[in-house]
Amino acid sequence: MSEPGRLHPLALMVGVGLMVGITLQPQWLTTPAGEADHVAALLMLHAMATGLVNGVGFRPRHSLPKLVLGRPVLWLSLLAGLARLASLHGLF
């Protein structure tokens, strides 16, 4: 069961944007050598899933799903994934 929630457009846009972007450009999640970067993929796909869950208003009751799917985790995984991709491609 979940608590009643409401739509969160920003989280939903992040989730849908990552879903479409990664589907159309999977090379975003590769190293400069063209190999898959599993850490970046894990972080970005977690941000996508969390954005979709939060965006549609789902609020888990239990502590573990709350911890894994919470809105702060969305932004942390998104920022960590972007930082990983930026460091792989020499942007900082």
Side-chain angles (χ1 to χ4, degrees):
M1 295 297 236
S2 66
E3 301 169 5
R6 60 187 176 100
L7 197 67
H8 292 280
L10 183 59
L12 189 58
M13 286 190 314
V14 168
V16 171
L18 285 171
M19 179 179 60
V20 171
I22 292 169
T23 300
L24 296 177
Q25 299 291 327
Q27 66 269 20
W28 287 351
L29 302 177
T30 62
T31 64
E35 299 173 350
D37 183 55
H38 295 95
V39 174
L42 173 74
L43 290 166
M44 298 304 278
L45 292 173
H46 183 264
M48 177 195 72
T50 307
L52 292 171
V53 165
N54 279 284
V56 298
F58 178 73
R59 296 288 170 262
R61 281 186 178 177
H62 298 287
S63 58
L64 183 61
K66 249 186 208 182
L67 179 68
V68 174
L69 298 171
R71 206 168 310 128
V73 178
L74 161 64
W75 304 115
L76 286 174
S77 61
L78 180 64
L79 289 175
L82 290 173
R84 170 76 178 185
L85 291 173
S87 69
L88 280 174
H89 296 282
L91 298 177
F92 68 79

